[in-house]
Amino acid sequence: MLITSSEIMNLKGRDIISIRELSKEEINFILDYAKKMIPYATGEKSTDILKGKILSCLFFEPSTRTRLSFETAMHRLAGRVIGFADPTMTSQKKGETLADTIRMADGYSDAIVIRHPLEGAARLAAEFADAPVINAGDGAGRHPTQCLLDLFTIKMEKNRIEDQKVVLLGDLKYGRTVHSLAYALALYGAELIFVSPKTLGMPKEVIRECKKLGVEPISTSNLEKAIRDADVLYVTRIQKERFPDPEEYNRVVGAYQINRKILEHVKEDLIIMHPLPRVTEIDPEVDSTSHAIYFKQAFNGVPVRMALLSLLVGGRI
Ligand code: CP
């Protein structure tokens, strides 16, 4: 039997800090493996490949989806989870450094998931841990597992990522998910359109990265025109917590909203994605349309994180 390179790919022990540290071949491998995890993620099938393994979930910043889906992923693989969702209940409150907290988690567990408000915190954690460290979001920096589940969702819904016309809408300046996603979509040769309030445009370095990969993104404020023949609309929240100046936030809040009216002229098979949480940028009336796949996208975090944990910690279905 012919053994393909994907069959012998070994990610055991790797840190996942940024999507940029994974090759396209590795991303494809993770996405293919995540597809195989779906029946295990739904509970239709069961496995104990991570029995005896422990995952630390260290959340220094609020989370619903990322934390719960990592925990679900570990439980579905028969592993166990330790950690915290409220850092004020840890010894950080007594002045313990991040490095020392990580040293503790490293001794107690087989992999570490960390979300932290400071950019670079996950990379620092990786320096102090032998166990693999997964960045679950560091400030306005990176959120690689969100990027993987976004790519997975596009692939599952559209069968391919290449050549898709993708509109990224919202806070493109502070939104960590759109920075990673724009890069990754460019890696696949997708067509990119950036729509945002003027002050929240995509950072120049991300645009430069896309161009380097051969994709010339279009930036516009004309949302209706941009989505008319789009395949994917990726909406993001304007993140109040990332604005250094509250006045800057007040000027842009409520600048856009996706509702049934604006969707009257889009393609029938347009999919609308959102990393969630949403506030006002998608009207709940959109939830019942065939375009809305953001809740399915959130579920996809489970098989994708199961695949990743299985590959990093060891044990394969
Ligand atoms: N998408 C995402 O990261 O959601 P949470 O902040 O709820 O984890």
Side-chain angles (χ1 to χ4, degrees):
M1 195 173 76
L2 198 67
I3 295 178
T4 65
S5 59
S6 64
E7 281 172 303
I8 56 169
M9 197 162 282
N10 184 5
L11 294 171
K12 195 166 177 199
R14 279 268 292 272
D15 299 314
I16 306 292
I17 308 300
S18 163
I19 195 74
R20 289 155 182 82
E21 291 158 13
L22 290 169
S23 66
K24 189 174 166 187
E25 195 187 19
E26 287 169 334
I27 295 172
N28 281 334
F29 177 64
I30 295 166
L31 302 188
D32 289 346
Y33 190 38
K35 193 171 175 187
K36 291 189 191 143
M37 283 292 182
I38 290 176
Y40 300 92
T42 57
E44 190 188 321
K45 287 186 181 176
S46 64
T47 174
D48 63 359
I49 57 169
L50 291 192
K51 192 172 177 189
K53 302 291 184 189
I54 296 176
L55 176 70
S56 284
C57 281
L58 313 182
F59 279 72
F60 293 87
E61 207 185 39
S63 167
T64 297
R65 278 145 295 275
T66 311
R67 187 172 67 83
L68 295 183
S69 62
F70 262 117
E71 291 193 6
T72 304
M74 196 62 183
H75 288 301
R76 291 285 194 204
L77 297 169
R80 292 176 183 222
V81 182
I82 60 170
F84 52 81
D86 178 2
T88 65
M89 295 303 286
T90 73
S91 287
Q92 187 195 39
K93 192 85 179 143
K94 302 173 209 160
E96 185 160 65
T97 62
L98 177 63
D100 283 357
T101 306
I102 295 300
R103 283 186 178 105
M104 297 308 108
D106 193 35
Y108 301 150
S109 58
D110 301 284
I112 298 170
V113 172
I114 178 171
R115 169 170 289 190
H116 199 282
L118 293 180
E119 211 169 321
R123 197 167 302 284
L124 180 94
E127 282 172 27
F128 288 91
D130 291 330
V133 171
I134 304 173
N135 183 3
D138 60 339
R142 317 286 186 209
H143 194 354
T145 60
Q146 179 69 44
C147 186
L148 286 170
L149 80 88
D150 291 341
L151 294 174
F152 181 73
T153 302
I154 296 173
K155 203 164 176 185
M156 292 296 290
E157 297 298 317
K158 297 287 187 183
N159 292 319
R160 52 190 282 111
I161 302 168
E162 293 82 358
D163 312 326
Q164 295 295 314
K165 184 168 183 174
V166 183
V167 175
L168 301 183
L169 167 68
D171 174 4
L172 307 185
K173 181 178 176 185
Y174 297 112
R176 58 190 169 202
T177 61
V178 281
H179 299 166
S180 304
L181 188 59
Y183 162 83
L185 289 170
L187 199 62
Y188 282 86
E191 201 179 323
L192 294 175
I193 301 173
F194 300 152
V195 186
S196 68
K198 257 197 172 61
T199 52
L200 295 179
M202 187 64 88
K204 283 198 176 71
E205 62 269 23
V206 179
I207 295 176
R208 263 199 300 273
E209 259 185 326
C210 295
K211 286 183 179 173
K212 253 189 174 168
L213 291 165
V215 171
E216 195 77 36
I218 294 168
S219 297
T220 174
S221 53
N222 190 337
L223 174 61
E224 284 186 45
K225 189 165 172 231
I227 61 174
R228 202 158 295 160
D229 60 348
D231 302 299
V232 179
L233 169 60
Y234 192 97
V235 187
T236 62
R237 173 175 68 96
I238 295 187
Q239 303 173 94
K240 191 176 184 179
E241 66 276 22
R242 305 268 178 248
F243 282 74
D245 174 7
E247 268 315 298
E248 189 191 354
Y249 172 76
N250 290 334
R251 275 195 293 272
V252 290
V253 64
Y256 55 89
Q257 191 195 47
I258 300 303
N259 49 37
R260 277 182 180 263
K261 174 116 190 68
I262 207 166
L263 294 175
E264 273 172 7
H265 304 291
V266 300
K267 281 165 75 172
E268 211 179 306
D269 62 352
L270 168 81
I271 58 169
I272 302 175
M273 298 172 66
H274 192 309
L276 304 176
R278 66 159 158 197
V279 190
T280 55
E281 60 281 1
I282 299 180
D283 192 312
E285 69 182 14
V286 175
D287 298 357
S288 56
T289 70
S290 59
H291 303 294
I293 57 143
Y294 27 90
F295 297 123
K296 204 167 168 189
Q297 177 189 357
F299 165 76
N300 286 341
V302 178
V304 167
R305 290 174 174 127
M306 285 173 79
L308 205 56
L309 289 171
S310 158
L311 292 167
L312 302 185
V313 177
R316 298 273 290 275
I317 56 164

